[in-house]
Amino acid sequence: MESSGAALVSAAFLNSTARARGTGARVEDPAPFWDSPLSHGISVFVAFTLGFTMLGLGCTAEVRELREHARRPVGVLLAALCQFVVMPLLAFALALAFSLDDGAAVAVLLCGCCPGGNLSNIMTLLVNGEMNLSADERKRTA
């Protein structure tokens, strides 16, 4: 079974061979993966899975504790300081310390600057952290 890259190279080779022979026969290029039915199916599956996961995590939130965070936002402010100052600086320091090439350094910086999202909520739940603070922080920094 050929990979999509090998199929593209094979089609390009066959097309150039057919033109060189003057036969005019043309081999159709395969559709790119992102335009295939499998890709669309995966996208729909991921969207439903993400929605279901976020709904489940939202069910763990308690309105009373969310009000407490709104009344005394020390935890939220500390989390915002860590997310917007400490983590980007730490990512930059790690990129310099490990002498990463440009692409890898940009990837580390992006992960350091955008740490929130579904995975942070899942990890908070797994370690029995404060889900309400995690959800409140994601809401405020989104």
Side-chain angles (χ1 to χ4, degrees):
M1 180 173 189
E2 290 183 307
S3 69
S4 62
L8 288 173
V9 170
S10 301
F13 175 73
L14 291 173
N15 286 335
S16 64
T17 305
R19 277 194 297 267
R21 289 185 187 155
T23 60
R26 177 136 176 94
V27 177
E28 289 297 319
D29 293 334
F33 174 74
W34 57 86
D35 198 27
S36 69
L38 178 62
S39 175
H40 294 296
I42 291 172
S43 297
V44 169
F45 174 74
V46 167
F48 278 121
T49 305
L50 184 61
F52 182 74
T53 303
M54 292 306 291
L55 179 66
L57 290 172
C59 290
T60 64
E62 295 180 19
V63 177
R64 178 182 48 82
E65 291 185 22
L66 289 174
R67 281 193 201 118
E68 184 66 26
H69 289 300
R71 210 166 30 133
R72 292 186 353 195
V74 174
V76 176
L77 292 175
L78 183 61
L81 177 75
C82 288
Q83 180 173 347
F84 294 119
V85 177
V86 174
M87 289 193 62
L89 288 176
L90 183 62
F92 182 72
L94 287 172
L96 289 178
F98 289 108
S99 301
L100 299 176
D101 62 351
D102 294 342
V106 168
V108 169
L109 283 173
L110 282 175
C111 289
C113 293
C114 307
N118 195 24
L119 188 59
S120 69
N121 292 335
I122 292 171
M123 291 299 164
T124 302
L125 184 66
L126 288 176
V127 298
N128 293 327
E130 191 175 347
M131 275 303 300
N132 294 313
L133 178 62
S134 178
D136 198 25
E137 177 62 21
R138 294 307 134 239
K139 177 187 72 170
R140 291 176 192 267
T141 61

